[in-house]
Amino acid sequence: MDDRPTAFAEEPRLITEPGRAARVAAITEPVLAELGYRLVRVRVSGASGCTVQIMAERPDGAMTIEDCEAASRALSPILDASDPIESAYRLEISSPGIDRPLVRRSDFDRYAGHVAHIEMLVLVDGRRRFRGELAGTEGECVRLRSGDPGTGENPEVLLRIDDMMEARLVLTDALISESLRRSKRGDKLEERTAQVRANNGHEPHQRPQVGAAPEQRRRVNQRKGD
């Protein structure tokens, strides 16, 4: 039995959300893990009524429309029963997108070489906000190449992940190109898996929708409390 999805889902998030979003996260994370997904972020917004956005991903970092629909079907009755939000709200399931949040140690290693924006809870060298190229992790810290030699700044800085309030990738041409390559590899893998299952006499799975541009975040919306 392949237990990689289980190990994938078990890696803890090190950058988490407070308040109501934390309550939603505690309920949804084990449900998503049972489906082979893992939680990336929960955000509760009051814009245009109350919206609960649950961002999730598969082991390859993607989340198709079908994945979002499956997660929504599983989460909706559980959230209705536990009622972590006291008022009516709209449930939104989405993929992380290209300029995704970085919440686990493996996220920082996986996207080494790409540019990230990081906001700290505490001052580091008199600053809270950093932008630079990810250079992997060292213990509990992320190494970021953020300095410009012409300004006299330190060319590299170590930032503790536990002290981060938010970290996300910055949209660049290099990041878009890598996302396109990963999308093509994932598409080929889905096709190969369907062919194998068909050869074994099983109904092949429907391939995910890949017509949208890779930078377009995929979402499924469902209104609650109407």
Side-chain angles (χ1 to χ4, degrees):
M1 178 179 176
D2 187 356
D3 62 354
R4 282 178 297 177
T6 302
F8 157 82
E10 287 176 352
E11 184 186 358
R13 294 186 306 145
L14 302 180
I15 302 176
T16 57
E17 48 281 304
R20 294 185 298 173
R23 296 199 298 269
V24 175
I27 295 167
T28 60
E29 198 154 16
V31 178
L32 291 171
E34 286 291 327
L35 297 173
Y37 310 129
R38 69 179 178 186
L39 179 66
V40 175
R41 187 187 70 190
V42 174
R43 178 166 288 175
V44 180
S45 169
S48 302
C50 184
T51 298
V52 177
Q53 183 199 55
I54 298 174
M55 192 176 287
E57 65 181 345
R58 302 186 310 192
D60 61 1
M63 195 74 175
T64 68
I65 288 291
E66 290 84 355
D67 293 323
C68 292
E69 290 173 344
S72 180
R73 287 193 297 269
L75 289 172
S76 291
I78 294 174
L79 289 173
D80 284 344
S82 56
D83 199 22
I85 305 296
E86 59 277 4
S87 59
Y89 63 92
R90 184 175 71 248
L91 177 64
E92 178 181 286
I93 311 295
S94 74
S95 68
I98 295 181
D99 54 341
R100 55 166 294 145
L102 306 170
V103 298
R104 293 176 171 86
R105 182 177 288 104
S106 63
D107 293 339
F108 294 96
D109 288 323
R110 181 180 187 185
Y111 291 98
H114 291 288
V115 179
H117 173 84
I118 297 175
E119 188 165 352
M120 305 297 293
L121 294 168
V122 298
L123 291 174
V124 178
D125 296 335
R127 304 167 53 191
R128 291 184 187 272
R129 295 181 177 88
F130 295 83
R131 177 187 172 113
E133 181 182 312
L134 295 170
T137 57
E138 293 186 18
E140 304 300 316
C141 299
V142 171
R143 183 172 292 278
L144 191 73
R145 299 191 182 101
S146 61
D148 183 347
T151 65
E153 294 181 2
N154 188 346
E156 290 191 345
V157 62
L158 284 174
L159 303 173
R160 285 186 58 85
I161 302 176
D162 289 344
D163 290 336
M164 293 180 186
M165 182 170 71
E166 184 180 26
R168 67 166 47 251
L169 293 174
V170 174
L171 199 62
T172 63
D173 290 342
L175 184 61
I176 293 172
S177 296
E178 181 169 333
S179 178
L180 285 169
R181 288 194 297 270
R182 287 182 175 177
S183 178
K184 290 177 181 178
R185 288 198 300 267
D187 191 33
K188 289 178 181 178
L189 179 60
E190 291 282 352
E191 184 176 2
R192 190 180 309 117
T193 301
Q195 289 172 347
V196 169
R197 286 175 175 156
N199 289 337
N200 288 336
H202 298 293
E203 187 71 22
H205 285 292
Q206 183 180 1
R207 290 179 57 193
Q209 297 177 3
V210 295
E215 61 269 24
Q216 181 179 353
R217 186 168 290 125
R218 297 179 172 90
R219 293 189 175 101
V220 168
N221 296 317
Q222 186 169 354
R223 187 175 296 277
K224 301 292 179 181
D226 292 343

